[in-house]
Amino acid sequence: MGIGYTLGCLVSIMLWNFQRQKVFKLTDNYCCRFIRIKAARYVVYLLIILTAVGLTAKYGNGEIVNFITAFLVIDISTSERENINIKDVKFHKTISIVCKSLVCGFCAPLFYILIFGNYFAVLYFMLYNLCCCSEYEIFEIVLNILTIIPAFIVQVILYLIYIFTSKKYTMDFKGDYIVNSLKKPLLNIEIMAAYIEAVGFYYHIYENDTSYIKIYGEEKSKVEEIQVKHYLGVIYIAAFFMFLGFMSVYLI
C-alpha cells in the first residue's frame, strides 16, 4: 500500500525538467486564440476540469492510478528548475517561487489526497496551473480558499525548523498574520523564509490609492546566494517530513 504515491513522487522529483505549466500555458494560449470571450473559456476549462476529475474519481483506485496522480500533481521541483542556475540573487522572487512550489506543488495535493482522494488533488492541480498561466479571477478565489489549510501546515513545519535552527521563538508579522492567512496564504510563508535565513523581506502593498512597503525579517542582513541555496534545502527537508506524515496517515 502506498507504493504508487511513493514512486510517483520520486519520479516527479527525478524528472524535474518536466514542465507541467508549459503544457498548460500552450493550451491556454491556444484557447485564448480561438475563444476570445473569457466567460466562454471559463466554461471550456470547467468542462475539462470536471471531465478530468470525473475520470479520476471513476478509476481512482489502484496503485497505477496513484502513481499517475502523484507524478502529475507533485511539482516541487519547479523551485529547483527555476533557481538551478542563479546568477543574480533575487531573494524575493526566488522565495516566492520556492514557497509556492512547496505549498501548491506538494503539500496541498498530498493533503487533498488524504482528505478527499485523487480526484480532488487533480482538481487543485488544474486550478493551480491555470492560475499560473493567466488571470482567471474566479479560479484564483477558489484556489486561494483551498490553499489556506495546506499553507498553515507548511507554516507549522517551517516554524519548527526556525526554532531548531535559530533558537528563537518570535516572528513579527506586523499584525497581519490572520489577514494574510485568509487573503494571501503564501505571504506568511515568504515572511517566515526571511526569518529562517535572517534576511530582510520587502513586500509592496497598494491599497486605498496608497502605495507603501512593509519590511519583515532582519533588515541588517545582506542577501547572499548561499542563503537562497540553503532555503532550497530547507524546503526539501520540509517536504520530506510532510511526505512521511502523509504516508503515515495514509497507511493507518
Side-chain angles (χ1 to χ4, degrees):
M1 292 291 290
I3 188 65
Y5 292 127
T6 303
L7 289 178
C9 182
L10 180 62
V11 172
S12 176
I13 293 175
M14 290 176 62
L15 298 180
W16 58 271
N17 204 33
F18 176 63
Q19 301 183 34
R20 297 157 182 77
Q21 290 181 12
K22 187 174 182 180
V23 176
F24 276 84
K25 185 65 176 177
L26 290 173
T27 303
D28 187 60
N29 289 340
Y30 183 83
C31 191
C32 291
R33 185 176 177 183
F34 293 96
I35 306 176
R36 306 233 177 229
I37 302 174
K38 180 177 282 191
R41 293 202 299 274
Y42 270 117
V43 173
V44 171
Y45 284 139
L46 187 59
L47 290 174
I48 293 174
I49 290 173
L50 291 176
T51 300
V53 168
L55 289 174
T56 307
K58 183 177 181 180
Y59 302 103
N61 296 320
E63 296 299 341
I64 294 178
V65 176
N66 292 346
F67 169 81
I68 295 173
T69 301
F71 172 73
L72 287 177
V73 303
I74 299 299
D75 193 21
I76 192 173
S77 294
T78 298
S79 59
E80 188 72 13
R81 181 169 62 245
E82 296 289 340
N83 299 286
I84 194 70
N85 295 314
I86 295 176
K87 295 181 180 179
D88 298 318
V89 178
K90 298 179 180 178
F91 184 80
H92 300 162
K93 180 180 179 181
T94 300
I95 290 304
S96 177
I97 294 171
V98 171
C99 293
K100 182 182 290 187
S101 297
L102 178 63
V103 178
C104 302
F106 194 82
C107 181
L110 293 181
F111 174 75
Y112 285 115
I113 286 173
L114 280 180
I115 301 301
F116 298 109
N118 291 336
Y119 74 94
F120 212 92
V122 171
L123 169 67
Y124 185 92
F125 160 75
M126 297 189 74
L127 287 175
Y128 167 57
N129 281 278
L130 281 173
C131 291
C132 288
C133 293
S134 188
E135 294 184 1
Y136 292 105
E137 294 82 2
I138 297 176
F139 290 158
E140 288 174 358
I141 292 173
V142 176
L143 181 69
N144 186 78
I145 295 172
L146 295 178
T147 303
I148 291 174
I149 296 179
F152 180 75
I153 294 173
V154 172
Q155 288 172 44
V156 172
I157 295 175
L158 292 183
Y159 182 63
L160 294 176
I161 292 175
Y162 172 71
I163 294 175
F164 180 78
T165 57
S166 69
K167 311 302 181 186
K168 298 178 181 178
Y169 299 91
T170 59
M171 296 179 179
D172 185 6
F173 292 89
K174 310 295 183 182
D176 295 331
Y177 178 81
I178 295 178
V179 173
N180 291 343
S181 296
L182 299 176
K183 293 185 176 181
K184 304 169 186 176
L186 296 179
L187 178 55
N188 283 339
I189 298 175
E190 295 172 12
I191 295 171
M192 296 180 78
Y195 277 100
I196 290 174
E197 297 303 325
V199 298
F201 180 79
Y202 303 86
Y203 184 71
H204 181 264
I205 299 173
Y206 182 82
E207 58 184 11
N208 299 325
D209 297 324
T210 303
S211 180
Y212 58 97
I213 294 176
K214 280 195 172 183
I215 304 173
Y216 303 90
E218 303 288 339
E219 293 182 60
K220 61 183 179 181
S221 300
K222 181 181 178 181
V223 179
E224 302 287 351
E225 180 179 334
I226 189 173
Q227 290 165 312
V228 176
K229 295 290 188 180
H230 177 266
Y231 192 67
L232 285 173
V234 171
I235 289 301
Y236 276 101
I237 291 173
F240 174 74
F241 283 108
M242 278 189 284
F243 190 76
L244 285 181
F246 166 78
M247 290 304 300
S248 299
V249 176
Y250 178 75
L251 294 175
I252 292 177

